Amino acid sequence: MLRNKEQTKRRWLDLAPGDPVIVVTGKDKGKQGEVLRTIPDKHKIVVKGVNILKRHTKAGAQRGGVTVAQGGVIDFEAALDYSNVMLVCPSCSRPTRTKHTVLESGARALVCRHCGEPYERVRKTEAQ
Ligand SMILES: [Zn+2]
């Protein structure tokens, strides 16, 4: 019996768009930014201002079915591995590993390992 079926289980990432993070390894080590989006399937994350790559585009090139009218170099933030970043705790302003807890209300929360403060996520959009 073949067992090569692709795993479809989504791994939940602790970080969500809007969270302040610091890059702890790689070429952008030490940079701080805000999470733009997460890609749980690939265990990757896109952070504002981090891992900037340049995409060279020729005028008239086809990209995603859209013809690019103006060529040139476009800066864009590439995804980096989730494990390369750490959450910055708003209470003690330190990069922190988090542990999970369940609040009295039954809601799940992240807790800072340093100061023990629950990290409350300020969501910009409910749609996420
Ligand atoms: Zn803290």
Side-chain angles (χ1 to χ4, degrees):
M1 187 178 167
L2 291 169
R3 287 187 179 274
N4 59 353
K5 213 176 162 188
E6 218 175 288
Q7 286 207 339
T8 48
K9 191 181 157 200
R10 278 172 74 101
R11 279 177 292 182
W12 178 253
L13 300 184
D14 288 338
L15 298 171
D19 287 350
V21 292
I22 186 164
V23 181
V24 291
T25 188
K27 72 180 173 88
D28 287 314
K29 187 175 175 175
K31 275 193 191 175
Q32 265 181 274
E34 188 182 284
V35 178
L36 288 179
R37 59 197 171 89
T38 57
I39 310 159
D41 294 344
K42 292 180 180 170
H43 221 241
K44 291 203 162 198
I45 193 161
V46 180
V47 182
K48 198 174 185 178
V50 173
N51 205 20
I52 302 284
L53 297 185
K54 288 181 191 296
R55 178 176 281 152
H56 297 260
T57 315
K58 233 191 256 178
Q62 292 280 336
R63 192 171 288 282
V66 181
T67 307
V68 181
Q70 203 182 347
V73 183
I74 300 160
D75 287 350
F76 70 102
E77 282 115 343
L80 60 155
D81 203 85
Y82 169 69
S83 61
N84 288 6
V85 302
M86 280 174 107
L87 180 72
V88 178
C89 172
S91 303
C92 59
S93 325
R94 286 202 278 172
T96 183
R97 287 197 304 135
T98 52
K99 61 179 181 180
H100 294 184
T101 192
V102 179
L103 300 176
E104 281 174 32
S105 61
R108 285 189 206 186
L110 300 174
V111 175
C112 173
R113 293 256 182 202
H114 296 304
C115 62
E117 285 292 316
Y119 172 63
E120 286 188 40
R121 179 167 287 133
V122 183
R123 286 197 187 276
K124 285 180 178 167
T125 52
E126 283 299 302
Q128 290 292 341

